[in-house]
Amino acid sequence: MSDILVTENIQGASMNRLMNDLDVELDAYLWQNVNLLQKKIQNAKALIVRNQTQVNRELIDAAPHLKIIARAGVGLDNVDTHYAHEKGIIVCYTPDANSLSVAELTIGLMLALLRKIPEARQDTLTGGWNRVKFTGSELYGKTFGLIGMGRIGTLTATRAHAFGMKIIAADPYLAFDAPQLKQMNGKLVSQDELLSQADVISCHSPLTPHTKRLLTYQHFCRMKPTAFFINTSRGEVIDEKGLTQALLEHKLAGAALDVRETEPPKHSPLNQMENVILTPHIAAFTLEAQDRVVDSVCEDVRLVLSGKKAINVFEP
Ligand code: NAD
């Protein structure tokens, strides 16, 4: 039983150094075996996870020596942060390390949707040369609606603005004159206004009890039939069946999902839809972001275990 338990696939130069210097057990699949995890965590002082390990009350209760839970990533929906706080365990995360990568994937998905890149590729590979069939639309002049205008939303909006898109955002915690909106002539609107006005809608809110199923069938039906929907936040923020139904009824033009209600997802009618792009939760998976994420959690674990203050502490 080791001092530092790493329960998912978290690798890189900083992790190698941590393993050389300290007592670390890295088991990329441990998150799948809850009984074994509960045993192995008994003596652990630090736990390093991504988003698959469920760090709930039961797990925290099984870890009387735990000083720090380090989440390699941003969303903390898999960690009971309140209970950890109550128990005096520090929760760290990596708030800025992968935002840019998520923003860039979102822009990539938007371009792929509007220019039908995956469909055109598939058609060409099977012998087609159908130029007119794959006529797309420009981003320029279109309205981009962001649900959630935090770190990732803002970086995505800045890039969309550079393409000449008009920016609107719905975020209940943002002031109407927030500087991040002002600098790109963006407008704060209600979620209903955003759904009916935007040509592309992208979701960047966290998953909380308030945002679970924030968008249902009824919401997708309020979108323009020519509009596209992108989700790189968390799968449970939308009702996936509702989106599927709305797509089948042509209430919107297409969608791109990096995140799903269940991961890995079960078979879904979305798999057969030409106007849907599905990726396996890869938004944060770039070499650069992964290096930054692993550097950050390893640094915070070292600091806390040597009695110092961590850098990226999450306060619930
Ligand atoms: P952030 O906290 O900086 O921003 C989230 C924003 O959402 C905040 O401005 C908040 O006010 C807003 N918000 C909260 N409730 C809302 C609601 N009901 N409607 C609209 N907006 C609401 O977080 P971030 O760093 O921008 O990350 C956002 C989310 O992206 C994370 O919580 C995480 O779940 C997800 N994420 C996904 C990946 C991936 O690999 N696909 C990677 C990183 C982060």
Side-chain angles (χ1 to χ4, degrees):
M1 286 201 259
S2 306
D3 284 348
I4 303 170
L5 201 53
V6 186
T7 57
E8 298 183 47
N9 191 0
I10 301 170
Q11 299 194 33
S14 313
M15 183 57 77
N16 292 343
R17 281 195 294 276
L18 195 74
M19 292 174 90
N20 274 336
D21 300 347
L22 300 171
D23 177 23
V24 181
E25 176 175 348
L26 190 158
D27 177 347
Y29 302 101
L30 190 54
W31 64 275
Q32 293 174 335
N33 189 340
V34 176
N35 288 337
L36 186 61
L37 173 55
Q38 293 227 349
K39 278 191 195 129
K40 291 204 168 186
I41 207 166
Q42 280 173 24
N43 286 339
K45 294 179 185 146
L47 173 67
I48 307 183
V49 301
R50 280 195 197 278
N51 67 323
Q52 286 171 299
T53 313
Q54 295 309 308
V55 191
N56 49 26
R57 268 174 184 259
E58 292 72 46
L59 192 67
I60 292 171
D61 282 339
H65 305 290
L66 203 61
K67 293 182 191 308
I68 170 170
I69 299 165
R71 155 79 170 103
V74 189
L76 281 155
D77 39 282
N78 59 319
V79 180
D80 190 336
T81 53
H82 289 281
Y83 194 55
H85 196 66
E86 214 178 294
K87 289 271 179 177
I89 300 167
I90 293 162
V91 177
C92 288
Y93 67 144
T94 60
D96 294 302
N98 58 24
S99 311
L100 189 56
S101 292
V102 182
E104 289 187 1
L105 184 84
T106 307
I107 298 292
L109 291 173
M110 176 153 62
L111 285 164
L113 278 172
L114 270 75
R115 300 306 301 269
K116 308 182 183 178
I117 298 171
E119 295 156 78
R121 174 189 183 272
Q122 196 54 36
D123 190 71
T124 310
L125 287 183
T126 52
W129 195 257
N130 292 298
R131 298 172 68 201
V132 177
K133 183 177 173 193
F134 297 113
T135 305
S137 306
E138 292 179 344
L139 301 189
Y140 183 83
K142 303 289 184 304
T143 299
F144 187 40
L146 296 110
I147 299 180
M149 191 71 176
R151 287 176 293 260
I152 297 171
T154 302
L155 286 171
T156 309
T158 312
R159 279 143 188 81
H161 181 60
F163 275 98
M165 297 184 88
K166 294 176 197 138
I167 306 300
I168 57 175
D171 187 324
Y173 305 103
L174 201 70
F176 77 97
D177 57 351
Q180 63 262 53
L181 270 177
K182 255 184 158 176
Q183 71 194 12
M184 50 190 116
N185 292 324
K187 209 171 128 199
L188 191 66
V189 295
S190 69
Q191 186 177 286
D192 274 349
E193 286 171 313
L194 182 141
L195 290 170
S196 62
Q197 290 174 16
D199 298 299
V200 182
I201 293 172
S202 189
C203 194
H204 299 285
S205 61
L207 174 62
T208 68
H210 304 292
T211 61
K212 193 168 179 168
R213 301 208 163 186
L214 185 66
L215 299 176
T216 61
Y217 171 72
Q218 282 74 21
H219 296 105
F220 293 115
C221 288
R222 280 179 220 152
M223 288 176 61
K224 293 182 189 177
T226 50
F228 293 92
F229 174 74
I230 302 170
N231 190 9
T232 57
S233 64
R234 280 289 179 272
E236 288 164 278
V237 171
I238 70 162
D239 170 9
E240 209 171 285
K241 279 207 180 101
L243 171 66
T244 308
Q245 190 59 34
L247 283 162
L248 286 169
E249 293 172 9
H250 306 287
K251 305 287 187 195
L252 67 162
L257 305 178
D258 183 51
V259 286
R260 306 294 293 275
E261 270 182 341
T262 307
E263 294 186 4
K266 301 205 173 74
H267 183 77
S268 151
L270 293 170
N271 298 358
Q272 317 304 331
M273 295 184 189
E274 282 206 333
N275 54 346
V276 172
I277 302 173
L278 302 171
T279 49
H281 203 147
I282 55 167
F285 280 80
T286 60
L287 297 172
E288 296 81 359
Q290 287 310 306
D291 278 350
R292 288 193 292 263
V293 161
V294 179
D295 288 353
S296 171
V297 287
C298 289
E299 172 75 359
D300 273 341
V301 164
R302 277 179 192 275
L303 286 168
V304 171
L305 294 193
S306 59
K308 296 186 184 123
K309 206 171 171 301
I311 300 164
N312 288 302
V313 178
F314 178 80
E315 299 292 349

